[in-house]
Each structure stands twice: as structure tokens, then as C-alpha cells.
Amino acid sequence: MLKRILVLCMSVMLLATGCNKKTETSKIFQLLDQPTEQADYYRDVVYKEGANNRKLDFNLAIPKEASESDKKPLVVFLHSGTWVAGDKDDFNNVIYTLSYHGYAAATIDYGLVPNENMLGQVDNAIDSITYIVKNYSDKGIDKDKVIIIGASAGAHIAILSAQKICDNKNDYDFNLSYLVDMFGPSDLRYYDNIDEEKQQEIVDLDKSIGYFKRNPEFLSGDKELDYYDCLSKVNPIEVVNKNLVKTLVISGDQDKYVPIKISKSFYNKLKELGVDAQFIEVSGAGHDPFSEEIWKQIYDTLKSQV
């Protein structure tokens, strides 16, 4: 009995300290909150100058074992924050964890409203991928296996980014392999069709939607269009088409900000279009980008799909 306890304790210690015993991580998956010795880190790398002369940057982790003969898929993560808030540095645990598991991984500053509009955020996300591929492929990044993961508003941007890439493949020097939508508001019109009591339950997102109704130019950048015309340009369920890459839609059944019915409707739309899509419902999960159960599901799916 004592021997079994010692073995379990050693397994947990190896994961927490980032040792090379990768077999242990397949047994014990957790989001790491600090860098590990398995990766090289590049922090606050500026990839472009965004609107209002604001510099946009990213954090990147590349496994040390990556090389020309052992290239690693690139995961680009787009953070949550209702388009107007959030920070790439809040999600460094994503790149710590994924690089530990053998992926090159970046968390991106894609610019926030009102400095950017939503379509500007999409362009920034794509430009960050282009920059990483151009400047870091020689360090063992596989530009033919690029994955975009977005959480909440970041998932909204991720979907639009993926669709634009898929519609214009010849314009990019990389191949998008997979898209992960983590409880993204994939049908923004849903929030126009709920009663006041329900709006109180999702007050943060409702305030954000109200803000965009008053400032529709922050959706598409077009000051001549009204809110609903602008909305049609940035509403994922209306924008997606059959060209979209393989997609995982993942949602918690206790999410009050992006109810699971939105994610299910979006998934059904993808299936109707003929997109290779998968839906995972996580029991008991809410609107939580740090849920280890959700990330375990994502990790297992990437291992089987990419």
C-alpha cells in the first residue's frame, strides 16, 4: 500500500515540475501554472502595429525537442473577454500545458474594442499566425498543422478567422488543420431574443451586446451600416460555409453566458453544411476557460484528429 502511495506522489511531482516523464501526463492531465523545462519561451513578441498605433504581441512556447525532423503542430489561442477586455497573459497556462504535451503554442493579443472592431480583431489574429509561421518555422513549427482555439469571445474571433483562412487558402503560407470553439457566442442574434429576466442572468454579455448596438461600427468597421447589417457580417452562424476546416464545438451544460443551445445550433449548422464537425457536451461545466475537464477533452480530441 505504501509503495502505491509513493508512486502516485512521484507521478504528481513529475507533472508539476515539468520533468520529461511524458507518460505521466497522459494519466494525470492538469493545466500547468508555470513554465516547464520542456519548452523555449518567447514573450511579448510584437507582430504588428494595430489601430491607433497600438503594438500587438504574443507569447509563444516551442518544445525543445522540436526540430526540422520533428516538427510540432502550432496551436494559436485567442482569449476570452467579450471583445472589450481580456489579456493574453491571463492564459499563459495554456501554452505551458500544450508545449509540455508536445505542441508549439501561442496566446495572442488581438486588440480590443474600441481600438479595434471585430473584423479588425479577425485580421489581427490571422496576421499573428502569419508572423509566427514566417519567423519561427525554422525552430520546428509545422506550418502544415495549424490549430486555432478560441474561448468565448475569442472563439467567436477564431471561427471568423478560420472561415476567412479557409476561403482564401492561397493567400496564406500555412495550412489550417483544426478549429476549436470553446463556448463561443456563435449566434449573436440569440441575445436579441431573450426576455429581461434572462438578460439579467447574462448581464456582462448583455452589456457588451448593448454597447455594440449603440456603436455598430465596432462590429464591422463600417460606419454607414446599422447594427443588424453589421451583425450579419460578424455572426458566425451566418458567416460559416462548407469550406470551414474540421471543427470541435465544446460546451458546458451549465453555461449561463453562452447557453449550450447556442453551441448545439451552431454545430447543427456545420453538419448541415457538410463540415466535418464534432460536438462535446461537458456535464456540470459552466463558462470556464480554465476547466481542466474541458481542456482534457480538447487535448484528447487534438491527439486523435491532428
Side-chain angles (χ1 to χ4, degrees), residues 70-283:
D70 186 15
K71 295 182 178 181
K72 304 300 181 182
L74 170 65
V75 176
V76 174
F77 179 77
L78 306 182
H79 65 76
S80 57
T82 59
W83 305 278
V84 301
D87 191 301
K88 74 182 195 307
D89 293 326
D90 294 339
F91 293 86
N92 281 327
N93 59 352
V94 172
I95 66 173
Y96 299 155
T97 303
L98 291 177
S99 62
Y100 184 87
H101 284 276
Y103 294 87
T107 177
I108 304 298
D109 171 12
Y110 50 76
L112 302 175
V113 173
N115 288 314
E116 303 282 352
N117 59 71
M118 287 184 182
L119 291 185
Q121 291 174 322
V122 169
D123 288 338
N124 294 340
I126 296 173
D127 288 346
S128 73
I129 300 172
T130 299
Y131 185 97
I132 293 170
V133 167
K134 179 180 179 180
N135 292 279
Y136 293 90
S137 287
D138 62 348
K139 299 184 183 299
I141 287 178
D142 190 344
K143 67 178 184 179
D144 291 323
K145 292 183 179 179
V146 175
I147 301 152
I148 301 178
I149 300 178
S152 193
H156 167 267
I157 299 166
I159 296 166
L160 298 183
S161 299
Q163 188 63 67
K164 185 171 183 177
I165 293 168
C166 292
D167 286 340
N168 302 277
K169 289 183 178 180
N170 294 334
D171 293 344
Y172 305 105
D173 188 29
F174 61 86
N175 176 66
L176 185 63
S177 310
Y178 209 74
L179 165 67
V180 179
D181 161 19
M182 298 174 64
F183 40 84
S186 47
D187 185 2
L188 297 176
R189 294 186 190 275
Y190 166 85
Y191 300 99
D192 288 326
N193 299 314
I194 54 179
D195 59 32
E196 291 185 5
E197 181 178 353
K198 185 66 175 177
Q199 287 182 14
Q200 292 302 311
E201 295 179 19
I202 56 171
V203 62
D204 293 337
L205 187 55
D206 178 61
K207 284 182 179 177
S208 185
I209 294 298
Y211 173 70
F212 288 115
K213 283 184 175 180
R214 295 188 298 274
N215 302 278
E217 68 272 17
F218 293 146
L219 295 174
S220 68
D222 192 332
K223 295 183 179 181
E224 303 300 320
L225 297 179
D226 66 17
Y227 170 74
Y228 290 102
D229 287 336
C230 289
L231 188 65
S232 66
K233 296 178 180 294
V234 298
N235 194 18
I237 201 166
E238 297 178 58
V239 171
V240 291
N241 63 49
K242 65 181 181 180
N243 297 329
L244 189 63
V245 71
K246 289 192 295 185
T247 299
L248 169 65
V249 180
I250 189 163
S251 180
D253 63 2
Q254 300 301 309
D255 190 338
K256 68 177 182 179
Y257 294 102
V258 182
I260 194 169
K261 63 163 54 173
I262 296 178
S263 296
K264 286 183 175 179
S265 294
F266 181 63
Y267 167 73
N268 290 334
K269 175 65 178 292
L270 296 183
K271 298 302 289 186
E272 290 173 8
L273 291 169
V275 174
D276 186 350
Q278 180 179 354
F279 183 85
I280 295 178
E281 176 179 335
V282 184
S283 178

Side-chain angles (χ1 to χ4, degrees), residues 42-45 57-61 88-89 92 95 105-107:
Y42 306 86
R43 300 179 187 278
D44 303 320
V45 180
D57 57 9
F58 60 81
N59 295 336
L60 173 67
K88 74 182 195 307
D89 293 326
N92 281 327
I95 66 173
T107 177

Side-chain angles (χ1 to χ4, degrees), residues 14-25:
L14 286 171
L15 178 59
T17 57
C19 294
N20 283 318
K21 300 291 186 178
K22 291 197 175 181
T23 54
E24 300 299 340
T25 63

